[in-house]
C-alpha cells in the first residue's frame, strides 16, 4: 500500500515534469513567433504614428567614435597578447575572451566607418546648446571631487551646490545658501551620525 | 513546498515592518523619479543603490539583500506609475515608456479630464502589476527548473541571446548598439581574472584590480549623463501644469477602459518577458493595438481614455514581466533590470535558477513585496495625484545640482576613493555624448554586468570540451539559443535593408 502510494506520487511527478517541459517549449515558441509578429506589425504601423521620426546622425561624431573604438579594439588585442597565456593546463586562457572581443570591436568600428560614408548630408541645423553653463558646472564638479578629501564633505558640497544653483539660474542668494547648507549638513549628519557611515569630515 | 507556501513565506518576509517601510519608500521615491524630468527609472535605481547599501548595513546579509532589492524594485515599478503624470499634465513624458500616454492623456487634460486620466492610469498600472506578478509567481518554478538543467555551454549561448536581443532593439543603429555591447564586455575584462588569478589591463593600478565598479559606471552613464543632457539641452520656457480637476473617473470611463486595461496588461507582460523589448515598446504596441481594435479609431489622439489606459497598463505589465528572466535565469532583459542584477550581485546574491532554492527569502520576499507595493501605489496615487503634480514644479535650478551631489555622495559612500569619483565624471560625459549621438548606453551596462559570467561559462564549456568550440553547436539547446540570437539581429537588419523603419526601445 505504501509502496503503491510512492509509485503513484512518482508517476504524477513524471507526468507533471513532462507537462512542464512541453509547456515551456510551447511558451518559448510562442514568444518567438509573437516577437516576429510584433516586428512585422510595427514596421507597418510605425510610420503612421511618426513619433520616432527624426534620425539623429552626426557624421563627424560617428567618424571620430569609429576611429576611437577601432583604436580601443586594437589596443585590447595587442595588450591581451601580453597576458600570461596558460592557466591550469587549460587550453583556454585569460587572453582569449578579450582578443576575440577586440577583433569584434575592430570589425564593428570598420562597419560604422563605412556606414558614415552613406549618411545623407547633414542638415545645418543650429541647435541651441549652452556649453558655457555646463562647462562651469562640470569644472566645479571636478574641483568638488578633487577637494572632497582634503577639505571635507560639508564644505565642498556646500560650495558646489551654491555654484550650481546660481549658474543654472541666477536668483535669491539667501535661498540658495539655505538649501545648499541644509543639504550638505543634513546628508553629513544623517550619514555619519545616524547611519554610522564615514565621510571626510572637516579640515583640521 | 509548493508555490503557494513559498509565496506565503515571501509575505512573511515582505510584511516585516522594516520591509514594509522599504517598499513604501521605494514606491514613493519611484513615483517621484517618474514624475521628475531629468531622472528616469534607470538613474533612479542606480542612484539609490548606495543609499540602500548604507541603510541595510546593520542587517544580516540575507535580509539586507531582501530589503535592498525590495526598495530598488519599488523604485522601478513606481517610476512606471509616476511617468504618466507628466505625460498627462505637461505633455512631456517623465520617462520614455510614457511617451504614448501623452498623445491622448494631454488632450484629456486640456478637456478638463486630467483627474480621470490620472486615476485610470493608476488603476491600469495596478491591474497590470498584479497580472504580471501572478505570471511571475506561476512561471518562477518551472522556468528556474528548466534553467537548472543548463550547462555552461547553454548558459553562454543564452546570455549571448540576451545581449543580442537588447542590442538588436536599442537605438536606431544596430552597429552602434553592438559596438556598445562589445565595448562593455571589454570593460568587464579589466581587473583580476577570477579563473586564473591573472590581472588583466590593470597596469599596476590598485584601483583596477577588482575591475571597474559597476555602480560607478551605471550612475555615471545614466544619472550624470541625463543631468548633463538636461543642463545642456534644456529649454528655458516654463510650461504650464494643467489643473488636475475631478479625480474619480466616471462610470463610462471605467467601462471604456476595462478591456484596454486587460489587453494592455497581458500584452505588456508578454513583451516584458522577452529580453530587449521593454516597457517603451510595450506601451507603444498596446496603443497601436487599441487603435486598431477600436470601433472609432479617429477618437485616438483627441483624448480617448483607451489611449491612456492601454499603454499605462502595458508599461507596468512589462516592468513586472521583465523581472522573470532576471529572477529565474539570471539574464536581465533591459538596462534597469541589469542594474537590479548588479545590486543583487553586490549583496553576493546571484540571480538565476538557484536564487529560488538558495535565497528563497530574497526571491519570494521580493515577489510578495511587489504585490504589497502595487497596492500601496494605488492607494498613494489616487488621493495624492495632486501632490505629485506639485512635484513637477520642483525647479530644475535646485534639482540638477542636487542630483549631481547625490551621485557623488553615493559613489563615495560605497567606494571610499577619489578614483571612482573621477571615473564617475568621465562616465557622465561619455553617457551624455554617446546617448546624444544615438549610441545606446543600456547595452554597455548590461554587458558590463553579464561579461564576467559569459566569460566564465565560455571557458568552463571550452575547458570541458578541451578547447573545441563546436560544443556550443552540438548541444541542441545551445544551438537553438544561438540561432534565435542570430535571427534577432538579422531580421531587423533585413527589414532595414528593405527600407522599413524599425521601432526601437529607447528606454533600454
Amino acid at each position: 500500500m505504501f509502496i503503491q502510494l510512492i509509485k503513484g506520487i512518482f508517476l504524477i511527478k513524471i507526468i507533471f515534469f513532462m507537462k512542464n517541459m512541453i509547456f515551456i517549449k510551447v511558451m518559448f515558441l510562442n514568444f518567438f513567433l509573437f516577437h516576429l509578429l510584433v516586428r512585422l506589425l510595427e514596421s507597418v504601423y510605425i510610420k503612421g504614428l511618426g513619433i520616432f521620426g527624426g534620425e539623429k546622425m552626426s557624421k563627424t561624431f560617428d567618424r571620430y567614435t569609429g576611429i576611437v573604438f577601432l583604436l580601443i579594439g586594437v589596443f585590447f588585442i595587442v595588450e591581451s597578447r601580453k597576458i600570461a597565456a596558460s592557466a591550469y593546463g587549460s587550453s583556454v586562457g585569460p587572453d582569449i575572451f578579450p582578443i576575440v572581443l577586440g577583433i569584434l570591436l575592430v570589425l564593428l568600428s570598420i562597419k560604422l566607418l563605412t556606414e558614415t560614408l552613406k549618411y545623407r548630408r547633414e542638415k545645418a541645423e543650429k541647435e541651441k546648446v549652452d556649453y558655457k553653463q555646463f562647462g562651469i558646472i562640470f569644472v566645479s564638479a571636478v574641483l568638488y571631487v578633487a577637494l572632497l578629501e582634503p577639505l571635507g564633505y560639508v564644505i565642498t558640497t556646500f560650495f558646489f551646490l551654491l555654484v550650481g544653483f546660481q549658474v543654472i539660474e541666477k536668483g535669491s542668494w539667501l535661498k540658495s545658501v539655505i538649501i545648499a547648507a541644509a543639504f550638505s549638513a543634513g546628508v553629513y549628519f544623517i550619514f555619519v551620525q545616524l547611519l554610522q557611515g564615514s565621510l571626510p569630515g572637516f579640515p583640521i | 513546498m509548493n508555490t503557494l507556501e513559498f509565496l506565503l513565506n515571501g509575505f512573511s518576509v515582505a510584511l516585516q515592518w522594516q520591509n514594509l517601510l522599504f517598499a513604501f519608500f521605494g514606491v514613493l521615491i519611484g513615483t517621484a523619479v517618474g514624475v521628475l524630468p531629468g531622472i528616469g527609472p534607470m538613474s533612479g535605481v542606480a542612484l539609490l543603490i548606495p543609499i540602500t547599501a548604507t541603510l541595510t548595513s546593520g542587517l544580516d546579509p540575507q535580509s539586507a539583500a531582501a530589503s535592498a532589492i525590495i526598495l530598488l524594485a519599488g523604485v522601478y515599478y513606481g517610476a512606471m506609475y509616476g511617468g504618466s503624470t507628466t505625460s498627462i499634465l505637461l505633455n512631456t513624458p517623465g520617462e520614455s515608456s510614457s511617451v504614448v500616454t501623452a498623445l491622448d492623456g494631454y488632450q484629456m487634460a486640456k478637456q478638463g479630464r486630467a483627474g480621470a486620466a490620472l486615476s485610470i492610469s493608476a488603476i491600469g498600472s495596478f491591474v497590470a502589476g498584479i497580472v504580471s506578478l501572478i505570471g511571475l509567481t506561476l512561471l518562477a518554478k518551472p522556468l528556474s527548473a528548466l534553467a537548472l538543467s543548463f550547462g555552461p555551454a547553454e548558459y553562454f549561448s543564452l546570455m549571448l541571446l540576451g545581449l543580442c536581443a537588447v542590442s538588436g532593439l536599442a537605438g536606431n543603429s544596430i552597429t552602434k548598439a553592438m559596438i556598445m555591447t562589445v565595448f562593455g564586455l571589454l570593460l568587464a575584462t579589466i581587473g583580476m581574472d577570477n579563473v586564473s588569478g591573472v590581472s588583466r589591463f590593470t597596469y599596476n593600478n590598485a584601483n583596477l584590480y577588482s575591475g571597474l565598479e559597476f555602480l560607478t559606471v551605471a550612475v555615471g552613464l545614466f544619472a550624470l549623463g541625463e543631468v548633463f543632457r538636461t543642463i545642456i539641452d534644456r529649454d528655458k520656457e516654463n510650461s504650464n501644469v494643467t489643473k488636475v480637476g475631478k479625480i474619480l473617473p466616471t462610470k463610462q470611463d471605467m467601462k471604456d477602459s476595462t478591456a484596454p486595461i486587460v489587453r494592455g496588461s497581458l500584452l505588456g507582460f508578454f513583451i516584458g518577458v522577452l529580453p530587449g523589448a521593454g516597457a517603451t515598446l510595450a506601451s507603444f504596441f498596446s496603443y497601436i493595438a487599441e487603435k486598431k481594435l477600436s470601433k472609432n479609431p479617429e477618437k485616438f489622439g483627441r483624448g480617448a481614455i483607451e489611449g491612456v489606459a492601454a499603454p499605462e497598463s502595458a508599461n507596468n505589465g512589462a516592468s513586472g514581466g521583465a523581472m522573470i528572466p532576471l529572477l529565474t535565469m539570471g539574464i536581465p532583459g533591459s538596462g534597469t533590470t541589469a542594474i537590479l542584477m548588479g545590486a543583487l550581485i553586490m549583496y553576493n546574491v546571484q540571480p538565476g535558477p538557484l536564487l529560488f532554492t538558495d535565497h528563497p527569502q530574497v526571491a519570494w520576499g521580493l515577489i510578495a513585496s511587489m504585490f504589497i507595493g502595487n497596492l500601496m501605489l494605488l492607494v498613494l496615487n489616487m488621493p495624492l495625484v495632486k501632490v505629485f503634480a506639485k512635484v513637477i514644479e520642483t525647479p530644475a535650478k535646485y534639482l540638477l545640482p542636487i542630483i549631481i551631489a547625490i551621485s557623488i555622495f553615493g559613489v563615495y559612500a560605497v567606494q571610499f576613493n577619489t578614483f571612482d569619483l573621477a571615473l564617475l565624471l568621465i562616465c557622465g560625459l561619455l553617457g551624455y555624448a554617446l546617448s546624444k549621438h544615438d549610441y545606446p548606453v543600456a547595452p554597455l551596462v548590461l554587458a558590463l554586468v553579464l561579461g564576467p559570467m559569459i566569460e566564465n561559462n565560455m571557458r568552463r564549456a571550452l575547458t570541458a570540451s578541451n578547447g573545441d568550440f563546436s560544443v556550443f553547436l552540438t548541444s541542441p539547446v545551445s544551438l537553438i539559443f544561438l540561432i534565435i540570437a542570430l535571427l534577432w539581429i538579422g531580421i531587423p537588419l533585413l527589414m532595414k535593408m528593405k527600407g522599413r523603419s524599425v521601432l526601437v526601445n529607447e528606454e533600454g
Side-chain angles (χ1 to χ4, degrees):
Chain A
M1 163 76 178
F2 188 62
I3 293 173
Q4 268 179 336
L5 198 75
I6 290 180
K7 267 188 186 168
I9 291 172
F10 204 60
L11 203 73
I12 291 171
K13 279 213 167 151
I14 289 178
I15 292 171
F16 215 95
F17 183 69
M18 283 175 52
K19 260 193 180 165
N20 265 346
M21 288 302 281
I22 292 168
F23 165 69
I24 285 163
K25 269 185 197 158
V26 169
M27 213 179 59
F28 260 100
L29 195 72
N30 269 343
F31 281 170
F32 186 55
L33 288 179
F34 180 74
H35 189 75
L36 287 186
L37 195 81
V38 169
R39 271 290 158 76
L40 285 173
L41 265 174
E42 75 197 10
S43 64
V44 178
Y45 278 98
I46 189 70
K47 275 185 183 156
L49 266 147
I51 288 184
F52 290 96
E55 285 185 13
K56 301 176 277 184
M57 287 197 288
S58 160
K59 199 168 180 171
T60 31
F61 186 86
D62 285 355
R63 282 228 175 116
Y64 282 123
T65 43
I67 293 167
V68 169
F69 279 120
L70 187 80
L71 292 177
I72 292 175
V74 172
F75 170 81
F76 269 94
I77 297 171
V78 172
E79 290 295 300
S80 302
R81 299 179 66 94
K82 293 182 190 160
I83 297 172
S86 151
Y88 299 116
S90 156
S91 50
V92 205
D95 53 338
I96 291 209
F97 196 61
I99 286 187
V100 172
L101 288 174
I103 294 170
L104 266 177
L105 191 59
V106 167
L107 292 178
L108 283 168
S109 318
I110 293 172
K111 185 162 184 283
L112 180 67
L113 286 173
T114 51
E115 275 175 17
T116 57
L117 298 177
K118 286 185 235 153
Y119 283 3
R120 269 161 279 155
R121 226 164 7 107
E122 272 176 74
K123 273 183 202 156
E125 213 174 277
K126 272 279 175 201
E127 283 177 80
K128 275 186 279 172
V129 282
D130 200 346
Y131 284 113
K132 192 183 151 208
Q133 224 181 37
F134 172 71
I136 298 173
I137 288 180
F138 190 74
V139 169
S140 43
V142 171
L143 284 175
Y144 176 25
V145 164
L147 295 175
L148 181 65
E149 282 181 347
L151 286 185
Y153 182 78
V154 179
I155 296 173
T156 45
T157 308
F158 173 76
F159 280 107
F160 170 74
L161 285 180
L162 197 61
V163 170
F165 293 159
Q166 289 296 326
V167 165
I168 289 185
E169 198 184 294
K170 278 216 176 86
S172 144
W173 277 90
L174 184 69
K175 216 174 161 189
S176 299
V177 168
I178 291 172
I179 293 177
F183 180 87
S184 47
V187 167
Y188 186 81
F189 175 75
I190 292 173
F191 189 69
V192 176
Q193 300 294 320
L194 296 185
L195 297 169
Q196 314 279 302
S198 90
L199 279 175
F202 293 90
I204 309 153
Chain B
M1 279 212 280
N2 60 21
T3 309
L4 205 65
E5 276 173 67
F6 276 117
L7 189 63
L8 284 177
N9 274 349
F11 270 107
S12 73
V13 174
L15 286 172
Q16 284 163 11
W17 68 268
Q18 85 267 24
N19 287 341
L20 279 178
L21 216 61
F22 273 82
F24 177 74
F25 279 116
V27 296
L28 195 68
I29 295 169
T31 314
V33 158
V35 170
L36 291 171
I39 175 164
M42 269 192 281
S43 35
V45 175
L47 272 177
L48 277 169
I49 291 175
I51 293 163
T52 49
T54 44
L55 282 178
T56 56
S57 58
L59 303 166
D60 68 285
Q62 276 274 323
S63 21
S67 304
I69 196 72
I70 283 173
L71 195 152
L72 295 173
V75 175
Y76 178 32
Y77 56 80
M80 298 292 158
Y81 276 74
S84 55
T85 312
T86 41
S87 294
I88 292 168
L89 295 180
L90 273 181
N91 202 17
T92 44
E95 26 97 25
S96 57
S97 58
S98 303
V99 170
V100 235
T101 315
L103 293 181
D104 278 287
Y106 186 60
Q107 293 300 323
M108 282 184 72
K110 271 168 113 185
Q111 297 160 12
R113 290 158 72 208
L118 286 169
S119 54
I120 274 296
S121 70
I123 294 170
S125 300
F126 174 74
V127 174
I130 298 299
V131 165
S132 64
L133 275 171
I134 293 172
L136 175 58
T137 313
L138 293 178
L139 287 175
K141 262 194 131 179
L143 270 181
S144 49
L146 174 82
L148 267 182
S149 66
F150 292 165
E154 284 85 2
Y155 249 105
F156 170 77
S157 307
L158 182 61
M159 288 181 185
L160 217 58
L161 166 62
L163 279 184
C164 286
V166 171
S167 32
L169 282 174
N172 287 319
S173 153
I174 289 182
T175 318
K176 289 178 180 177
M178 296 284 287
I179 286 182
M180 297 313 284
T181 309
V182 175
F183 185 53
L185 288 172
L186 272 176
L187 289 182
T189 63
I190 294 175
M192 193 83 83
D193 168 32
N194 51 14
V195 179
S196 61
V198 179
S199 63
R200 294 183 291 190
F201 315 113
T202 52
Y203 305 103
N204 294 324
N205 184 338
N207 292 312
L208 286 176
Y209 279 119
S210 55
L212 293 182
E213 177 57 37
F214 144 82
L215 175 71
T216 312
V217 177
V219 172
L221 286 178
F222 295 125
L224 277 193
E226 248 176 84
V227 172
F228 289 171
R229 191 179 55 204
T230 324
I231 294 176
I232 295 173
D233 300 340
R234 182 166 63 105
D235 48 352
K236 301 216 161 63
E237 303 149 37
N238 280 335
S239 31
N240 288 326
V241 181
T242 324
K243 283 229 168 66
V244 175
K246 208 167 91 36
I247 289 173
L248 282 181
T250 62
K251 264 192 187 154
Q252 186 59 38
D253 286 340
M254 290 299 281
K255 217 176 114 197
D256 286 343
S257 43
T258 308
I261 285 177
V262 173
R263 279 193 294 261
S265 309
L266 291 174
L267 195 73
F269 173 72
F270 283 108
I271 292 183
V273 175
L274 294 168
T280 312
L281 209 84
S283 62
F284 211 80
F285 214 60
S286 70
Y287 186 83
I288 297 171
E290 284 309 319
K291 200 172 174 184
K292 189 96 180 70
L293 285 170
S294 169
K295 280 180 200 126
N296 27 355
E298 68 280 356
K299 247 185 1 183
F300 282 78
R302 288 181 196 159
I305 196 148
E306 295 93 328
V308 176
E312 276 307 308
S313 326
N315 69 28
N316 232 50
S319 71
M323 301 298 282
I324 291 180
L326 170 70
L327 292 178
T328 59
M329 301 195 176
I331 314 272
S334 67
T336 321
T337 43
I339 291 173
L340 286 178
M341 179 161 176
L344 281 173
I345 294 173
M346 276 177 66
Y347 283 96
N348 266 330
V349 173
Q350 180 69 48
L354 288 173
L355 180 71
F356 286 87
T357 46
D358 288 358
H359 308 279
Q361 207 191 348
V362 178
W364 290 103
L366 171 65
I367 294 177
S369 87
M370 285 171 76
F371 277 107
I372 299 169
N374 270 294
L375 198 66
M376 284 178 180
L377 278 169
L378 185 68
V379 176
L380 271 180
N381 269 280
M382 296 290 274
L384 289 185
V385 141
K386 286 182 181 170
V387 179
F388 284 121
K390 281 267 178 268
V391 174
I392 304 173
E393 290 164 14
T394 314
K397 172 184 176 181
Y398 299 116
L399 188 66
L400 298 175
I402 283 182
I403 295 177
I404 301 178
I406 293 177
S407 314
I408 289 176
F409 160 75
V411 168
Y412 192 84
V414 172
Q415 295 296 111
F416 300 113
N417 64 43
T418 336
F419 171 82
D420 272 272
L421 293 182
L423 179 65
L424 175 77
L425 291 182
I426 295 171
C427 285
L429 277 185
L430 269 180
Y432 165 71
L434 289 173
S435 53
K436 185 176 167 68
H437 293 98
D438 204 27
Y439 291 79
V441 283
L444 195 160
V445 172
L446 188 65
L448 195 64
V449 174
L450 284 181
M453 278 175 271
I454 292 186
E455 185 179 10
N456 280 351
N457 280 301
M458 183 191 90
R459 279 160 72 179
R460 273 168 57 202
L462 287 178
T463 308
S465 73
N466 278 324
D468 183 3
F469 275 89
S470 67
V471 65
F472 299 114
L473 303 178
T474 47
S475 147
V477 179
S478 161
L479 182 67
I480 291 173
F481 287 149
L482 287 179
I483 290 174
I484 298 178
L486 207 68
L487 286 175
W488 215 302
I489 294 289
I491 288 172
L493 270 183
L494 268 179
M495 299 208 340
K496 251 186 202 166
M497 265 184 243
K498 283 193 204 151
R500 281 173 169 163
S501 54
V502 179
L503 178 54
V504 290
N505 191 8
E506 297 220 328
E507 169 227 29

